[in-house]
């Protein structure tokens, strides 16, 4: 139970940091998440927090790497395979050797094996961390693609080298030949096992699709379990679990066209689920860094008050050295990033070097250092963790400051104004199609109102305008009822009963915050007492009816007849309100009109006691979404819209469909 509570606190910290970033985006979200972790460290729950490295790799890193793999373009990866392997394998090994040697020279108390372990820890880069600090600048596309591909494989290089260094540290022995053989087995074996498992898992999923067993409740959990199963199986045979999940993710990406045979609903749910999970897990990594830092610093200060300053200097020096090595490696042509001029080549080399941000894997390996060596406490464990933390922080801070100095600001591929205008055209076309085919029927009218809600609307509904519309709707109902009484269609008694219901519609939809709080207290806190009171009143009414010679069945039949009359009565006032709202609709009041219309539609469905109205409306709305897709395809075919704008509109429709599907399920 305590573990669950700690996890919930981590997720809450991530959500809080993301919420602050959504309003104040000047500071990269990674720094806000680290700050949230520092705040958590002040609470008593995390004062003696110990991170389990295996759980970290299994529960967080494997999921993130699988998601990165399935979102990687195999075409781009194949085109850059030489550059990717040069950076992720060769440069990684060279960097580990240089960092290890320099660390051993400047800190002789670190054995060569321990120094190489430090090099393996701080070498892997993190493309997700890069994305978090480059949201304001436009990184060259080829550079970003190279960084993303590199991060898929250099994590495994660092982990394999780290394991070899730790083995040498524990045993005191190291063989170059056996080390190379072990490296190849773990590295290549991880890719091989992951590819085989990936094909099997994809084949099973396609079989489920062909068997029509492709509902979200089956496919989403099946896909979410994939990285865990692959990681455990790969580690069980002694190969890299991280590389295995990357390979499985790449197979999923390669088979994406076949997997898209699923329903659009499943695709929407799947993409949304993965997006949320990846965001939360990445945030947890940086929150954990903030949580762990105070404890590490405290341990170092207890041993030597000067240790912290020395290790900060070592961390900064190692970061600068790794950045220089990366720059020279790319500039000298060992890894090729497309450039047309020498100036562009130098810029790409510098951006790629500064963007070698360290994050998740570095933190995971740092905390996976053994607590003891040879039955004695591992003296320099906190030193290495602290140096790794310094490298992570500096690698986040430096590009945040320097990249905006020589890179242009991030410009959206499609301007918000263009999307808003195109979406308005798309919705207008669907509305014209509805009017042409179904005319001014109630179902078509309501569907049009929902489509109007798709248009971009800024701000919240105006309370005064909303209250005015509800009053107009009630006046419209009252006027219609009086006309029906005057024409003899209604009795005055039935008219009074109906107007009482109309007044309740007003009250239910115009409550203030304090009125809603009072209702919460009434129904939640006093609910049991209120129910018992109502039961007593019902018993008294039934006793009074029996004294008058009226049975329970007769009373129920009479009540049912009254509600049947009210249901029939409601048809004309409802139609009048719908017409009034349609006539009152403008661009300025569309939010308020939609809210009022939704309230009256809900009452209409409740009084009618049938789902036919809702089903017909659902069918019309699905048809309207298809018309919107057809409209976009037509604009793309005539070159009126470019592909970026088309994709943005497709995403907008997908979001609207998701909301619509959720509303159907809620009903």
């Amino acid at each position: 139970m305590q573990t669950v509570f700690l996890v919930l606190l981590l997720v809450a910290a991530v959500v809080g940091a993301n919420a602050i970033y959504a309003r104040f985006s000047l500071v990269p979200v990674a720094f806000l998440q680290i700050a949230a972790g520092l705040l958590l460290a002040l609470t008593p729950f995390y004062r003696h927090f110990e991170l389990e490295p295996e759980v970290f790799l299994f529960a967080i890193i494997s999921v993130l790497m699988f998601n990165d793999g399935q979102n990687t373009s195999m075409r781009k990866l194949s085109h850059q395979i030489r550059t990717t392997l040069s950076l992720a394998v060769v440069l990684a090994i060279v960097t580990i050797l240089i960092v290890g040697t320099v660390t051993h020279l400047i800190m002789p108390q670190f054995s060569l094996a321990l120094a190489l372990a430090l090099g393996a820890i701080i070498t892997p880069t993190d493309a997700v961390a890069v994305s978090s600090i480059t949201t304001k600048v436009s990184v060259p596309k080829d550079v970003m693609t190279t960084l993303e591909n590199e991060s898929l494989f250099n994590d495994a290089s660092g982990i394999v080298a780290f394991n070899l260094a730790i083995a040498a540290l524990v045993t005191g022995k190291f063989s170059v030949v056996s080390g190379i053989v072990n490296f190849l087995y773990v590295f290549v074996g991880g890719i091989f096992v992951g590819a085989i498992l990936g094909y099997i898992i994809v084949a099973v999923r396609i079989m489920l699709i062909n068997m029509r067993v492709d509902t979200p409740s089956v496919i989403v959990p099946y896909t979410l379990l994939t990285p865990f199963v692959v990681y455990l199986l790969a580690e069980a045979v002694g190969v890299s679990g991280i590389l295995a999940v990357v390979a499985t993710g790449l197979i999923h990406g390669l088979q994406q066209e076949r997997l898209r045979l699923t329903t659009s609903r499943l695709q929407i749910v799947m993409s949304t689920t993965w997006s949320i999970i990846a965001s939360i897990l990445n945030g947890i990594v940086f929150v954990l860094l903030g949580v762990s830092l105070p404890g590490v610093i405290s341990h170092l200060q207890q041993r030597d008050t000067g240790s912290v300053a020395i290790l900060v200097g070592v961390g900064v020096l190692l970061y600068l050295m790794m950045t220089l090595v990366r720059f020279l490696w790319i500039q000298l042509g060992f890894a090729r990033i497309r450039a047309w001029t020498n100036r562009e080549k130098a810029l790409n080399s510098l951006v790629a070097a500064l963007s070698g941000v360290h994050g998740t894997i570095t933190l995971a390996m740092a905390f996976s250092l053994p607590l003891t060596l040879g039955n004695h406490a591992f003296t320099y464990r906190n030193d290495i963790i602290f140096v790794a933390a310094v490298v992570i922080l500096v690698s986040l801070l430096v590009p945040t400051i320097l990249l905006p100095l020589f890179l242009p600001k991030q410009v959206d591929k499609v301007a918000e104004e263009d999307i808003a205008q195109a979406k308005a055209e798309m919705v207008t076309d669907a509305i014209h199609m509805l009017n042409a085919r179904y005319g001014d029927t109630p179902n078509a009218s309501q569907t049009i109102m929902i489509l109007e809600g798709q248009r971009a609307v800024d701000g919240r509904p105006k309370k005064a305008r909303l209250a005015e519309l509800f009053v107009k709707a009630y006046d419209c109902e009252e006027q219609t009822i009086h006309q029906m009484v005057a024409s003899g269609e209604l009795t005055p008694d039935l008219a009074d009963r109906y107007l009482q219901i109309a007044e309740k519609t007003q009250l239910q939809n115009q409550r203030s915050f304090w009125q809603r709080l009072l209702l919460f207290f009434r129904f939640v806190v006093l609910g049991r007492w209120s129910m018992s009171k109502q039961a007593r009143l019902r018993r008294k009414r039934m006793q009074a009816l029996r004294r008058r010679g009226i049975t329970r069945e007769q009373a129920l039949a009479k009540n049912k007849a009254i509600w049947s009359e009210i249901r029939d009565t409601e048809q004309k006032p409802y139609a009048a309100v719908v017409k009034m709202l349609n006539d009152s609709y403008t661009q300025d009041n569309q939010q308020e009109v939609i809210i009022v219309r939704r309230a009256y539609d809900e009452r209409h469905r409740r009084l009618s006691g049938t789902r036919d109205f809702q089903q017909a409306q659902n069918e019309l709305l699905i048809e309207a979404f298809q018309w919107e897709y057809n409209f976009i395809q037509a604009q793309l075919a005539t070159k009126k819209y470019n592909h970026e704008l088309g994709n943005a509109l497709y995403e907008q429709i997908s979001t609207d469909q998701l909301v619509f599907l959720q509303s159907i399920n809620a009903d």
Side-chain angles (χ1 to χ4, degrees), residues 337-397:
I337 300 177
R338 187 172 60 180
W340 302 107
T341 64
N342 289 333
R343 183 179 181 278
E344 186 179 359
K345 180 181 179 181
L347 177 63
N348 288 348
S349 300
L350 181 59
V351 172
L354 290 174
S355 300
V357 179
H358 308 275
T360 53
I361 293 294
T362 294
L363 186 63
M365 286 192 289
F367 281 101
S368 65
L369 287 165
L371 296 173
T372 59
L373 281 179
N375 297 323
H376 297 286
F378 189 174
T379 307
Y380 298 109
R381 184 175 187 271
N382 285 321
D383 299 61
I384 293 180
I385 292 174
F386 184 75
V387 170
V390 170
V391 170
I392 292 173
L393 292 173
V394 174
S395 70
L396 288 168
L397 187 61

Side-chain angles (χ1 to χ4, degrees), residues 367-666:
F367 281 101
S368 65
L369 287 165
L371 296 173
T372 59
L373 281 179
N375 297 323
H376 297 286
F378 189 174
T379 307
Y380 298 109
R381 184 175 187 271
N382 285 321
D383 299 61
I384 293 180
I385 292 174
F386 184 75
V387 170
V390 170
V391 170
I392 292 173
L393 292 173
V394 174
S395 70
L396 288 168
L397 187 61
V398 170
T400 300
I401 297 172
L402 295 184
L403 288 181
L405 299 180
F406 48 83
L407 286 180
K409 290 185 177 180
Q410 180 72 49
V411 178
D412 293 334
K413 293 181 180 179
V414 184
E416 290 293 331
E417 295 80 9
D418 294 338
I419 296 177
Q421 181 180 351
K423 192 173 183 183
E425 294 173 358
M426 174 186 74
V427 171
T428 301
D429 181 79
I431 289 173
H432 287 332
M433 295 290 288
L434 270 173
N435 281 327
R437 183 165 296 188
Y438 298 102
D440 193 22
T441 61
N443 286 340
S445 176
Q446 167 62 359
T447 305
I448 289 172
M449 297 297 295
I450 294 175
L451 290 175
E452 291 286 4
Q454 287 183 272
R455 299 182 191 271
V457 180
D458 295 325
R460 297 181 178 181
K462 300 290 190 296
K463 290 184 179 180
R465 191 183 293 163
L466 186 62
E468 181 183 351
L469 265 179
F470 270 115
V471 170
K472 286 181 66 176
Y474 176 78
D475 291 342
C476 182
E477 282 193 287
E478 188 179 36
Q479 183 180 358
T480 305
I481 290 295
H482 288 328
Q483 290 173 355
M484 294 174 71
V485 171
S487 64
E489 295 179 64
L490 285 183
T491 64
D493 181 61
L494 187 58
D496 288 339
R497 288 177 182 270
Y498 181 82
L499 289 177
Q500 288 176 10
I501 295 174
E503 290 173 357
K504 287 183 179 179
T505 303
Q506 292 282 308
L507 294 174
Q508 288 171 351
N509 290 280
Q510 296 194 71
R511 296 189 184 104
S512 66
F513 169 78
W514 295 109
Q515 289 172 319
R516 294 179 186 275
L517 187 63
L518 182 61
L519 283 175
F520 174 83
F521 180 79
R522 173 184 170 187
F523 288 109
V524 177
V525 181
L526 302 179
R528 183 173 298 178
W529 176 83
S530 177
M531 289 175 65
S532 62
K533 182 180 179 182
Q534 290 176 8
R536 289 195 299 271
L537 291 174
R538 281 195 297 269
R539 282 197 299 270
K540 288 182 178 179
R541 282 197 297 266
M542 292 305 299
Q543 290 171 358
L545 290 172
R546 280 196 291 270
R547 285 195 295 268
R548 292 163 54 189
I550 300 174
T551 65
R552 181 175 182 273
E553 289 71 20
Q554 290 174 329
L556 291 175
K558 182 179 180 181
N559 186 59
K560 186 176 181 180
I562 291 173
W563 278 107
S564 178
E565 291 177 337
I566 290 175
R567 180 171 63 247
D568 295 337
T569 301
E570 193 251 359
Q571 300 297 324
K572 277 192 176 181
Y574 171 72
V577 169
V578 168
K579 185 177 185 306
M580 182 274 295
L581 290 174
N582 288 341
D583 294 341
S584 303
Y585 178 86
T586 65
Q587 284 294 109
D588 294 333
N589 70 358
Q590 59 177 336
Q591 274 186 301
E592 293 79 14
V593 169
I594 290 170
I595 291 171
V596 175
R597 178 63 189 269
R598 191 177 298 142
Y600 276 87
D601 285 339
E602 180 60 33
R603 193 191 71 183
H604 178 74
R605 287 197 294 271
R606 191 169 59 250
L607 289 175
S608 65
T610 176
R611 295 183 62 87
D612 292 342
F613 175 84
Q614 183 66 52
Q615 290 172 353
Q617 182 182 304
N618 293 344
E619 292 172 2
L620 281 184
L621 196 53
I622 291 172
E623 193 172 357
F625 283 137
Q626 187 57 53
W627 286 333
E628 290 181 346
Y629 277 115
N630 295 342
F631 174 80
I632 297 172
Q633 290 171 357
Q635 304 308 307
L636 290 173
T638 58
K639 307 295 184 183
K640 182 178 178 180
Y641 294 169
N642 58 36
H643 287 289
E644 288 79 8
L645 181 56
N647 290 335
L649 290 174
Y650 283 139
E651 186 176 345
Q652 295 276 327
I653 298 177
S654 296
T655 302
D656 293 331
Q657 281 182 309
L658 178 60
V659 173
F660 169 61
L661 290 167
Q662 290 173 337
S663 67
I664 292 178
N665 292 335

Side-chain angles (χ1 to χ4, degrees), residues 151-364:
S151 67
L152 284 175
F153 296 99
N154 71 358
D155 293 344
S157 299
I159 291 173
V160 173
F162 172 76
N163 289 334
L164 292 175
I166 292 299
L169 187 66
V170 173
T171 62
K173 299 177 182 178
F174 178 75
S175 169
V176 175
V177 175
S178 64
I180 294 174
V181 171
N182 189 29
F183 181 89
L184 292 175
Y185 172 75
V186 173
F187 193 94
V188 179
I191 296 176
F192 182 73
V193 170
I196 292 176
L197 292 175
Y199 273 111
I200 294 173
I201 292 169
V202 169
V204 172
R205 181 172 162 186
I206 292 174
M207 181 184 69
L208 293 174
I209 293 172
N210 294 333
M211 293 170 61
R212 307 291 183 184
V213 189
D214 57 345
T215 60
S217 61
V218 175
I219 300 298
V220 173
Y222 177 83
T223 308
L224 291 177
L225 288 173
T226 295
F228 303 120
V229 173
V230 172
Y231 182 88
L232 289 175
L233 291 177
E235 290 292 325
V237 297
V239 298
S240 171
I242 295 298
L243 265 180
V245 296
V246 168
T248 302
L250 290 172
I251 297 300
H252 273 70
L254 192 63
Q255 299 292 321
Q256 203 61 253
E257 290 301 322
R258 297 176 68 189
L259 295 177
R260 282 175 184 161
L261 295 172
T262 54
T263 62
S264 59
R265 178 188 181 189
L266 176 58
Q267 293 180 44
I268 294 168
V269 173
M270 185 75 75
S271 61
T272 303
T273 301
W274 273 110
S275 175
I276 294 172
I277 288 176
S279 174
I280 293 295
L281 292 182
N282 274 302
I284 286 177
V285 171
F286 290 105
V287 171
L288 285 174
L289 175 57
V291 167
S292 306
L293 271 178
V296 172
I297 294 173
S298 175
H299 285 300
L300 292 175
Q301 288 178 333
Q302 290 174 6
R303 192 187 69 197
D304 183 359
T305 55
S307 295
V308 173
I310 294 172
L311 293 177
V312 168
V314 171
V316 172
L317 175 64
L318 294 180
Y319 167 76
L320 294 175
M321 187 171 57
M322 287 190 296
T323 303
L324 178 61
V325 171
R326 283 179 65 84
F327 174 78
L328 294 175
W329 189 267
I330 300 170
Q331 183 66 19
L332 296 176
F334 294 109
R336 295 183 179 180
I337 300 177
R338 187 172 60 180
W340 302 107
T341 64
N342 289 333
R343 183 179 181 278
E344 186 179 359
K345 180 181 179 181
L347 177 63
N348 288 348
S349 300
L350 181 59
V351 172
L354 290 174
S355 300
V357 179
H358 308 275
T360 53
I361 293 294
T362 294
L363 186 63

